[in-house]
Amino acid sequence: MLDPKGLRPGESQVEAYYSQVSRKVLVQYDYRDHDGVLFSTVAGSYEEAIRRRDIWLKEKNRPVFGDSSENHEDDTPGLD
């Protein structure tokens, strides 16, 4: 389980897990914006989570990161 308390501004974390409720793999994604506000979502894929983050940033009038293919310190799990 992810703990966003330790995220510094500009950092993100991601974890995939199998949901017994929906019976599919879901992705939890957390991002702490440069102003300290936390964005958190659960999505069906890493790409969908990033898309949601980008929309959130645009709504806050913040620049969006490049082509949404960030490098993370943690390993992005495969979603086969």
Side-chain angles (χ1 to χ4, degrees):
M1 191 64 147
L2 297 177
D3 183 8
K5 292 178 198 163
L7 281 179
R8 293 180 298 208
E11 289 185 338
S12 63
Q13 59 187 1
V14 62
E15 180 177 73
Y17 64 94
Y18 180 77
S19 169
Q20 293 184 350
V21 174
S22 65
R23 296 182 185 216
K24 57 184 166 180
V25 174
L26 297 174
V27 173
Q28 178 182 340
Y29 177 84
D30 299 321
Y31 169 75
R32 186 159 311 274
D33 198 9
H34 294 283
D35 61 5
V37 177
L38 178 68
F39 170 79
S40 186
T41 190
V42 174
S45 70
Y46 174 75
E47 291 78 14
E48 176 62 18
I50 295 299
R51 188 185 72 77
R52 291 177 185 179
R53 187 224 36 212
D54 290 349
I55 291 170
W56 179 75
L57 286 171
K58 284 180 185 175
E59 289 174 355
K60 289 182 66 185
N61 294 318
R62 300 282 297 182
V64 175
F65 305 103
D67 61 354
S68 294
S69 60
E70 299 176 63
N71 292 325
H72 295 275
E73 293 178 15
D74 53 352
D75 292 323
T76 302
L79 303 176
D80 298 19

